[in-house]
Amino acid sequence: MCGILGVVAQSPASQLLYDGLLMLQHRGQDAAGIVTAQENTFHMHKGLGMVRDVFRTRNMRALLGNMGIGHVRYPTAGSAESPAEAQPFYVNSPFGIVLGHNGNLTNADELNKELFQSDRRHVNTHSDSEVLLNVLAHELQECTTSYQLDPATIFTAVSGVHRRCQGAYSVIAMIAGYGLLAFRDPYGIRPLVFGAVETDHGTEYMVASESVALDTLGFKLIRDVAPGEAIFIDDKGNFYSKQCSISPSLNPCIFEYVYLARPDSIMDGISVYETRLNMGSSLADKINKTMQHLDIDVVIPIPESSRPSALQLANHLGINFREGFVKNRYIGRTFIMPGQQHRRRSVRQKLNAISVEFRGKNVLLVDDSIVRGTTSREIVQMAQEAGAHKIYFASAAPPVRFPNVYGIDMPTRQELIATDRGDDEICHEIGADGLVYQDLESLKNAISSVDLQVKNFETSCFDGNYITKDVTQEYLARIETQRNSGIKISRSSRHSTQLDLGLVLADQ
């Protein structure tokens, strides 16, 4: 999961990019980067940390130009600690291209070999995003017969990317001297939207992972980039689009609606907030049907993303809704923090219980999901320490039993608390007195009922069905071996090894 952003403006774009990345900060907190384009010259600044930490005034002043792309990173492939893998990435041939990517390629290893052996291209990091950039660059080179580019040639190159790349990818790229390109994988797994605003000097465009970035900056949401579609906005503000896949189908990642996206976003025509209300309603129906014996005094959400579900659940059950935890907003999201020890320690820093809401009561805690179980176990213990009599736990999502290979950090079954455990065993593991999970079909209905045109979802982390059909048991075993052996997180160097290749760095 990462956040990507692109702007084609009529005035300097750097502040728009910075402000937009702040709206997408929840999608990644490990690294941030911005590249702007000034005629044929790129200006770049990127580094480890959150947006507010990476960019200083001197960096912003050096990001010149009316067009640019930005990225916030949460690592699913490569290293969490290497500045070299902060995005956007740059390649100088052909034309000069910078790229930011949200998702994960499932055939990155095979593509890496192809790039070296057949395309004669060198990939300098462990990031699949750099692989994707080089595939795009090679396809552009193959399609080009002169030193000039046009939209038709660019769209032909994207078709080549779709033929070669497997997995999930939403991409925003810039081609030096030409414009901004954005495209989405043929399954539409990861989100991508675009919008526009009319100014005195002409139309400005913004492309982003979530609509919240557009809303807050005054852009009107036009629509989602369709699965397999590419859009191109040239440096004069002309807009082009084309379907570049032979057989696209919409299958958005269902976990975006459960947890990843902000509730004020609209993705694939669906309000995230409405889906979470519906999740609470269906959970209440399940409790009424199967767990009427629970003597619940109060419903308490685990901030933040579970709050709409918990509120709707309480309303349907006719039980008091209370805020029992105070959140420290200066601590990052624990689910996307690298390292189990880091996650466990940060839970206590992130949340503090209000004892008066727990003391002597039978409490139903509601969370968006239970992944590793670390957070759930700590929160149940906090509720016990605050004096709760009984603690029941409700998950707005079904049990997470399978690795996610499409851009969410759930790569090994050993890390998932629901692997090879039934509900009673999970309940015992987290220390609760009762546990209720959302059913998968109920979750699908909670989302699709908001927009009946969206019927299919990517649900592999719940049911083990991988929509790209290339995820085998051998593939899963390989990525688990890589993770367990420490290949994913390399601590050998904290210094960037990415080549400058003539790029103008904003902090120099």
Side-chain angles (χ1 to χ4, degrees), residues 40-291:
N40 291 327
T41 301
F42 289 142
H43 302 272
M44 177 180 74
H45 182 73
K46 60 181 183 177
L48 296 179
M50 298 174 72
V51 175
R52 69 188 181 209
D53 302 318
V54 171
F55 297 97
R56 297 286 185 263
T57 301
R58 67 180 185 277
N59 309 134
M60 297 299 295
R61 286 174 177 165
L63 293 170
L64 305 175
N66 296 352
M67 180 169 57
I69 65 175
H71 188 275
V72 287
R73 179 172 186 260
Y74 141 67
T76 54
S79 169
E81 297 187 357
S82 172
E85 297 188 9
Q87 296 186 40
F89 283 116
Y90 167 77
V91 69
N92 67 345
S93 175
F95 305 106
I97 308 168
V98 289
L99 175 145
H101 164 219
N102 174 33
N104 196 57
L105 299 184
T106 51
N107 65 336
D109 290 345
E110 294 83 353
L111 287 171
N112 207 340
K113 292 177 183 177
E114 285 180 20
L115 286 168
F116 180 73
Q117 295 173 357
S118 302
D119 302 345
R120 301 295 186 263
R121 286 184 169 272
H122 172 68
V123 176
N124 200 53
T125 71
H126 296 293
S127 174
D128 63 325
S129 302
E130 192 186 5
V131 171
L132 198 157
L133 168 61
N134 277 274
V135 171
L136 173 62
H138 177 77
E139 293 301 317
L140 272 172
Q141 186 170 303
E142 290 295 295
C143 295
T144 307
T145 57
S146 70
Y147 64 90
Q148 293 290 332
L149 268 183
D150 57 45
T153 302
I154 293 170
F155 293 146
T156 301
V158 174
S159 296
V161 172
H162 289 331
R163 286 193 300 271
R164 296 181 66 180
C165 294
Q166 295 290 328
Y169 52 92
S170 287
V171 172
I172 303 178
M174 281 193 303
I175 305 171
Y178 288 96
L180 185 142
L181 169 68
F183 57 92
R184 195 175 177 194
D185 71 75
Y187 293 97
I189 298 172
R190 300 258 76 86
L192 194 63
V193 301
F194 69 94
V197 63
E198 297 297 331
T199 72
D200 293 339
H201 303 287
T203 305
E204 297 184 338
Y205 290 94
M206 178 175 286
V207 188
S209 293
E210 295 185 31
S211 64
V212 63
L214 280 62
D215 300 339
T216 55
L217 296 175
F219 287 76
K220 182 180 179 180
L221 174 65
I222 296 176
R223 61 177 175 86
D224 299 83
V225 176
E229 182 187 24
I231 66 173
F232 179 70
I233 306 159
D234 67 23
D235 53 2
K236 296 179 176 59
N238 298 309
F239 180 91
Y240 307 86
S241 67
K242 184 178 181 181
Q243 177 54 250
C244 298
S245 175
I246 297 173
S247 55
S249 62
L250 179 60
N251 305 266
C253 172
I254 205 165
F255 213 74
E256 290 277 357
Y257 299 96
V258 170
Y259 173 79
L260 301 180
R262 272 183 44 157
D264 45 346
S265 284
I266 297 174
M267 299 186 304
D268 293 307
I270 296 174
S271 162
V272 176
Y273 180 75
E274 284 188 64
T275 67
R276 291 179 184 171
L277 290 176
N278 292 344
M279 291 173 205
S281 298
S282 58
L283 258 182
D285 290 340
K286 183 173 183 179
I287 290 173
N288 274 330
K289 291 176 182 177
T290 64
M291 307 181 77

Side-chain angles (χ1 to χ4, degrees), residues 311-323:
L311 179 60
Q312 196 76 341
L313 184 153
N315 288 338
H316 275 246
L317 294 180
I319 298 173
N320 287 333
F321 172 89
R322 291 287 185 271
E323 296 285 354

Side-chain angles (χ1 to χ4, degrees), residues 326-344:
V326 174
K327 181 180 179 181
N328 182 345
R329 300 180 184 276
Y330 303 97
I331 299 292
R333 301 178 85 174
T334 54
F335 168 64
I336 64 174
M337 286 182 174
Q340 190 82 332
Q341 290 279 358
H342 196 175
R343 279 187 292 271
R344 182 179 296 115

